[in-house]
């Protein structure tokens, strides 16, 4: 759980000229959003296809800009995994294009009637999905997010204001330019999609301060980026992504089910927020030794308490004593903390203390354990005998994903396009008044 | 639209001992919320009935505390309408009791399955309503809000932390004491409902800073209170209530429908946020004169532009020239601003500029005008040929109302108990892993 006191609040000021410029851009985005809000689905889908085609026909320009960013990143000593995220190639550009195409194939959330009735006085009441208006995003050097968020915003009838991280600035400038041209070609205002990258960090800060002008701000990235936005924004924020994910291995779990589940939860993509970080083993669980052997076989390093050390075959290079910080950290690597607990209660206590509220899983064949676990775990997603890696918009059938919310308001868990909408009550009558 | 820049952000500090005390209270509330979250509906309803009975049997104590607050308020020169809101009598206590009883009769939002499917890989996915956890409320001297919010929080499985305004402190202390005793009697932790009133304004500020401890903060009251919370809180806030409400009278509207609609929207309860403040008349609308005459007959003072003056029979004591501020202000009184516009477009421009996004209404018999108005007005509620006073949880069939949200995230328009819940994904499998 995030723990902040008044003292930790960062005060910062945005140069007035930057704030004015970003406010004016947001006002242009608002005007564009009004056009997008009432555009029929077919027009929005046409724009998405046009952007996809434009990206396809500008591959060389995109790759050239990207090469400059990567080269500069390398000179500045950017870590290999960050360089990898930053890099585009033809295959990744194919991915951008097909993401836009599948977005076009998805149902339009705008105009969906989510509730409605005719009241006793004859009033016909409907609650409809409507776009939020202006969606802001602050993210780190991942050019694919530029295309993803722009596409999701357009399809859901919103204008987008992007701050994409200075390490990817050349690539993002090229991509945003292509998107704006394609929007113009499709008959939409160019200011449907804008970048505040030219203002550097001040641009991000100005977005955070643009209350009443930006309807929601989505930070995507690491812990520091997200916390900085959450702590400083005066615009509503949707907090995404941090996952200190737990798996509880009950004594009724069979090794043949449990081993692949724990291994998949850990190793399928260790850098993802829905990957498992801690394994809690019920004392005496017969599957324990086989599960730990399965993890070791996949080169996972185990950070164990004393009882778990014994189950893992004793301390070694790959079986190290857990330190207090291990229970809190999201390793995002082939590392797993392992603890033996005396009861379900003790497991729930541990989870309550250390969870970031993303995903927790139970592996059990005991119905009461499953029910108790589901009822008492307060996280966005709870898995019963399923891999934690299923906490994902695509996997849960939501289509393209905006991010995974770890907060409780507005959206929780994987966010699809519906989470980029608000609702509006429409009430139709024939002159009804209130008595 | 709220317009803020970095410069207007108020920095304030909370004395460390107050922040620590409020944090500790919030942790107790969190522990209590875990009990409430898994309590069956019948137990929660029993607690609500018990609170109702306790209020009934402590009428004299409540009225005595309230008399002290009212006396002190009078000495301090509190305005009559505030004294009225603050005052309790037997009839108002009856109202508190029956509100709790109807709450007990309502469906429990917790556990409702709002979405779900079985995926191709056999995973059974459900999205369930779960309580938010700890709900905070900051409001002005209205003792009924203490009982309302506590009741709504309990029924929706949340703990409540209240800051009720110093003018009502004796009444609130008595009411919170009664509620806590009744909760204890019903087998719930007393800290399910707590007040931070003892810390005065610092208590409110500490609540606003308790990020990670308080899940949502709901300000209820006037403009200044709401803006102060919105601008200073680091806890998620749901902005409620301000309503600069417009009615557009189209040229196809008939006087016999339009007159009662406009009059009802204005005079049914002028102090309510869903009461109309501005009437926009389409040039040449035949119903205009009769509508304005109807308002004047009900002692509404009209603030008119030149063309509207003519329609109202010329300037007089009750027909005054509109000043620029009139288009922005929520009068909350028998005052209405009236303007003649040349087109629907001009009406929409005016609304776009001055609306607070609460409610707008169109009176028309032209289907294209109705559709265009609904499509282009970006407010929580849009009325077609219905009084603006219907933007109300009770009237729209939501049951007891938490408030009326004028923001777009999480909740928009009248909020019922469902808006005091979040959702949780529950995924059940038989060992499925991600390939």
């Amino acid at each position: 759980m995030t723990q902040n006191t008044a003292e930790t609040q960062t005060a910062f000021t945005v140069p007035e000229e930057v704030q004015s410029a970003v406010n004016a851009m947001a006002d242009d985005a608002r005007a564009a959003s009004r056009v997008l809000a009432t555009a029929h689905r077919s027009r929005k889908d046409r724009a998405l296809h046009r952007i996809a085609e434009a990206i396809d026909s500008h591959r060389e320009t995109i790759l050239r800009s990207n090469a400059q960013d990567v080269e500069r990143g390398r000179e500045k000593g950017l870590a290999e995994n960050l360089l990898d995220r930053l890099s585009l190639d033809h295959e990744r550009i194919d991915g951008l294009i097909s993401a836009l195409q599948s977005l076009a194939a998805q149902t339009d959330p705008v105009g969906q009637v989510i509730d409605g009735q005719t009241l006793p006085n004859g009033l016909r009441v409907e609650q409809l999905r409507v776009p939020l208006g202006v969606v802001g995003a602050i993210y780190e050097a991942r050019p694919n997010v530029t295309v993803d968020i722009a596409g999701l915003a357009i399809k859901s009838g919103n204008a987008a204001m992007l701050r994409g991280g200075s390490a990817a600035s050349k690539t993002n400038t090229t991509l945003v330019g292509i998107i704006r041209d394609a929007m113009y070609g499709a008959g939409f205002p160019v200011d449907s999609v804008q970048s505040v990258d030219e203002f550097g960090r001040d641009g991000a800060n100005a977005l955070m301060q643009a209350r009443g002008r930006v309807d929601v701000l989505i930070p995507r990235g690491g812990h520091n980026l997200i916390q900085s936005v959450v702590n400083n924004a005066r615009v509503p924020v949707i907090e995404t992504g941090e996952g200190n994910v737990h798996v509880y291995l009950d004594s009724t779990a069979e090794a043949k089910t449990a081993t692949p589940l724990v291994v998949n939860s850990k190793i399928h993509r260790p850098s993802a927020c829905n990957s498992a970080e801690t394994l809690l083993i019920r004392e005496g669980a017969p599957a324990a030794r086989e599960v730990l052997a399965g993890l070791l076989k996949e080169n996972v390093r185990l950070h164990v308490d004393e009882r778990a050390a014994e189950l893992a075959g004793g301390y070694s290079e790959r079986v190290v004593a857990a330190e207090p910080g291990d229970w809190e950290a999201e390793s995002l690597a082939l590392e797993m903390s392992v603890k033996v607990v005396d009861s379900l209660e003790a497991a729930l206590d541990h989870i309550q203390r250390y969870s970031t509220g993303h995903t927790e899983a139970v592996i059990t064949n005991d119905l009461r354990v499953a029910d108790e676990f589901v009822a008492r775990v307060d996280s966005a997603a709870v898995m019963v005998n399923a891999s934690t890696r299923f906490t994902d918009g695509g996997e849960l059938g939501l289509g393209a994903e905006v991010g995974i919310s770890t907060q409780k308001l507005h959206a929780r868990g994987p966010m699809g396009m519906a989470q980029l909408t608000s609702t509006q009550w429409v009430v139709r009558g024939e002159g009804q008044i209130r008595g």
Side-chain angles (χ1 to χ4, degrees), chain A residues 309-355:
Chain A
E310 201 271 316
L311 294 170
Y315 294 104
S316 67
E317 207 187 320
R318 298 220 150 271
V319 181
V320 302
E323 287 171 31
D326 288 336
W327 312 114
E328 291 169 21
E330 204 184 353
S331 75
L332 301 172
L334 286 176
E335 312 274 341
M336 192 164 209
S337 307
V338 187
K339 185 180 183 172
V340 174
V341 293
D342 291 319
S343 60
L344 170 61
E345 199 61 36
L348 290 168
D349 283 349
H350 183 99
I351 289 170
Q352 186 178 302
R353 181 158 172 201
Y354 294 108
S355 167

Side-chain angles (χ1 to χ4, degrees), chain A residues 106-250:
Chain A
Q106 272 186 254
T107 307
D108 188 346
V110 176
Q112 285 181 345
V113 180
I114 59 169
D115 199 4
Q117 61 174 320
T118 300
L119 297 175
N121 59 7
L123 284 179
R124 288 156 287 143
V125 178
E126 285 179 334
Q127 198 178 13
L128 301 173
R129 283 203 194 285
V130 296
L132 284 170
V134 179
V135 172
I138 298 180
Y139 48 98
E140 281 156 353
R142 293 173 66 180
N144 64 311
V145 176
T146 302
V147 178
D148 276 359
I149 298 270
L152 285 160
I154 292 163
K155 177 79 183 218
S156 52
N158 295 289
M161 294 190 72
L162 308 171
R163 156 66 180 159
S166 43
S169 67
K170 295 223 179 278
T171 318
N172 285 334
T173 302
T174 302
L175 287 171
V176 169
I178 290 170
I179 294 170
R180 286 165 63 90
D181 285 350
M183 287 301 280
Y184 181 77
F188 284 104
V190 288
D191 289 333
S192 301
V193 178
Q194 296 180 70
S195 162
V196 299
D197 279 348
E198 60 182 295
F199 304 110
R201 205 165 275 222
D202 286 336
N205 290 338
L207 267 188
M208 295 186 215
Q209 297 301 318
R211 188 168 178 94
R213 290 188 155 92
V214 173
D215 294 294
V216 66
L217 200 50
I218 301 171
R220 275 177 67 165
H223 175 85
N224 291 341
L225 177 121
I226 292 171
Q227 289 310 312
S228 158
V229 174
V230 162
N231 288 330
N232 293 306
R234 296 177 57 243
V235 158
V237 170
I238 297 181
E239 199 170 345
T240 62
E242 286 184 72
N244 187 15
V245 170
H246 297 79
V247 178
Y248 173 56
L249 179 71
D250 179 45

Side-chain angles (χ1 to χ4, degrees), chain A residues 67-88:
Chain A
Q68 292 175 11
D69 283 333
V70 171
E71 196 187 318
R72 202 179 29 151
R74 210 177 291 281
E75 280 167 12
K76 286 194 170 175
L78 213 61
E80 269 312 312
N81 64 332
L82 296 181
L83 283 174
D84 177 56
R85 281 173 163 197
L86 171 58
S87 301
L88 290 177

Side-chain angles (χ1 to χ4, degrees), chain A residues 47-105:
Chain A
L48 294 173
H49 283 298
R50 222 173 162 120
I51 296 170
E53 288 154 18
I55 288 176
D56 194 25
S57 60
H58 289 85
R59 283 172 182 263
E60 295 313 322
T61 322
I62 296 168
L63 290 174
R64 213 158 36 232
S65 305
N66 188 246
Q68 292 175 11
D69 283 333
V70 171
E71 196 187 318
R72 202 179 29 151
R74 210 177 291 281
E75 280 167 12
K76 286 194 170 175
L78 213 61
E80 269 312 312
N81 64 332
L82 296 181
L83 283 174
D84 177 56
R85 281 173 163 197
L86 171 58
S87 301
L88 290 177
D89 55 21
H90 278 288
E91 199 185 323
R92 286 185 179 181
I93 290 180
D94 289 346
L96 299 180
I97 292 168
S98 71
L100 288 164
Q101 285 161 342
S102 14
L103 207 48

